[in-house]
Amino acid sequence: MTCNEPGLVTQVITDSASSGTPDTYFISVTPGDPFCASITGGGSGTWGVTVSNGTSAGIYCSNQADCRLWVPAGEMTLLVTALTSGIGAYTLTLRTVP
């Protein structure tokens, strides 16, 4: 998957977080659709995203700067968490089917 599939829309979220206060977003999705999340950040530390269904058995990407997946069967909502080992501002880019 390239995240350039036709029909995807881009949502950009800018915010700030620290290692003790990660931000989590609930994203409505459709099973079988492509889903992409990437993060860039400033400040100290490294940045990544964890994408899951909210359970320990449903973690699809774990603390990666770039996450690409096909939405698994049965999933209607994905949780995207912006993580850092330090503190600073970030830009989270989501590509989803509207």
Side-chain angles (χ1 to χ4, degrees):
M1 169 186 321
T2 65
C3 296
N4 293 321
E5 283 75 15
L8 292 181
V9 296
T10 301
Q11 178 183 4
V12 177
I13 300 168
T14 56
D15 208 334
S16 60
S18 71
S19 60
T21 56
D23 294 336
T24 299
Y25 303 91
F26 292 75
I27 310 299
S28 294
V29 293
T30 301
D33 282 355
F35 180 84
C36 302
S38 61
I39 191 167
T40 56
S44 62
T46 57
W47 291 88
V49 292
T50 293
V51 177
S52 73
N53 66 4
T55 70
S56 59
I59 298 174
Y60 305 115
C61 294
S62 181
N63 201 13
Q64 299 174 331
D66 186 42
C67 175
R68 301 171 185 196
L69 60 99
W70 296 98
V71 177
E75 301 296 358
M76 300 301 290
T77 303
L78 293 177
L79 282 65
V80 179
T81 302
L83 301 168
T84 182
S85 60
I87 187 171
Y90 63 86
T91 300
L92 175 63
T93 303
L94 305 174
R95 303 229 347 118
T96 61
V97 175

